[in-house]
Amino acid sequence: MKKTIDTILSETLQVLREGGLILYPTDTVWGIGCDATNPEAVAKVYALKQRSDAKALVLLAASLDQVGRYVKEIPDIAIQLVEVNDRPMTLIYPGAIAGKAPAEGEKAVPDRHFIAWNAVAEDGSVGIRIPMMEFCRNVCFKLGRPIVSTSANLSGEPTPTRFAEISQAIKEGVDYVVEPWLEQEATGRSSQILKVGLSGEIEIIRK
């Protein structure tokens, strides 16, 4: 029997709240996700992808209001871009509000008010997208904080655009797989990435 969207949403949220990993379709491609404020969950994403944590992760947020709770300032140019945007767009914001890495021997403690220290770039910036997919926005809204959204592939392998293309290692490495039929809302293309500055600067990272 096909699960309802409410059931899928409820199960997804439970896994995220428990620090687990999800495999889910976004408005672009399939992604691996977790609570972006949980450093241990973020570390599991890097481990599953066999990827260096020196590379920052893209996050999804429900709205600009939610973005504003996790960056020190939203540049005016970012507001303008979001208002006119008609395709998946990730913006790299300066000044993420992030937690601090734990001292050696200490355990990383999640704090819902801070993005996990290991999810942001070395310069303190963070890439966030407001997805053009209701399911993803609802997950972020009901969780009350952003989630990680990194492509569902091992580092160096092709990005899967459809569920059938995802490797078994990834499928078995997560705690929950969102129903594949939801991928009908995905474009199958990676988002454009723009880096924005407080003075209105725009740098195109990926068209």
Side-chain angles (χ1 to χ4, degrees):
M1 184 177 174
K2 186 176 177 180
K3 290 182 181 179
T4 67
I5 196 72
D6 286 343
T7 297
I8 298 168
L9 187 57
S10 176
E11 292 175 348
T12 299
L13 289 167
Q14 182 177 347
V15 171
L16 292 171
R17 288 172 180 139
E18 292 174 352
L21 305 189
I22 62 169
L23 178 61
Y24 68 116
T26 72
D27 53 336
T28 57
V29 297
W30 274 82
I32 300 167
C34 69
D35 177 352
T37 69
N38 187 329
E40 288 194 349
V42 170
K44 287 192 286 186
V45 171
Y46 285 116
L48 176 58
K49 284 179 65 74
Q50 300 174 20
R51 173 179 164 178
S52 166
D53 62 6
K55 296 180 179 180
L57 296 171
V58 169
L59 313 183
L60 299 185
S63 63
L64 267 179
D65 283 344
Q66 190 170 73
V67 172
R69 296 200 290 272
Y70 292 93
V71 298
K72 294 171 184 174
E73 185 177 347
I74 296 180
D76 289 340
I77 190 65
I79 298 172
Q80 296 168 27
L81 287 168
V82 169
E83 287 177 346
V84 302
N85 181 52
D86 61 357
R87 57 169 285 200
M89 176 184 67
T90 299
L91 296 180
I92 300 177
Y93 296 87
I97 298 175
K100 293 181 179 180
E104 189 174 348
E106 289 185 354
K107 185 178 180 180
V109 180
D111 187 328
R112 61 178 296 148
H113 300 99
F114 298 94
I115 294 173
W117 61 271
N118 48 350
V120 303
E122 290 184 355
D123 65 359
S125 64
V126 61
I128 307 178
R129 184 168 81 255
I130 300 170
M132 304 178 78
M133 182 176 180
E134 186 177 10
F135 172 75
C136 294
R137 291 196 305 272
N138 280 340
V139 169
C140 297
F141 177 75
K142 291 182 179 296
L143 184 67
R145 45 202 183 270
I147 62 173
V148 164
S149 178
T150 183
S151 56
N153 58 292
L154 298 177
S155 185
E157 293 190 352
T159 298
T161 59
R162 291 290 177 252
F163 182 74
E165 301 170 4
I166 301 172
S167 72
Q168 200 61 30
I170 294 292
K171 291 176 182 176
E172 293 176 356
V174 299
D175 301 292
Y176 182 75
V177 179
V178 170
E179 294 292 291
W181 61 265
L182 277 172
E183 73 179 10
Q184 61 193 0
E185 293 186 51
T187 63
R189 294 176 56 201
S190 298
S191 73
Q192 60 179 327
I193 301 178
L194 306 175
K195 190 169 188 175
V196 295
L198 295 176
S199 300
E201 317 94 292
I202 301 176
E203 180 183 351
I204 300 173
I205 306 298
R206 183 172 68 200
K207 292 185 177 181

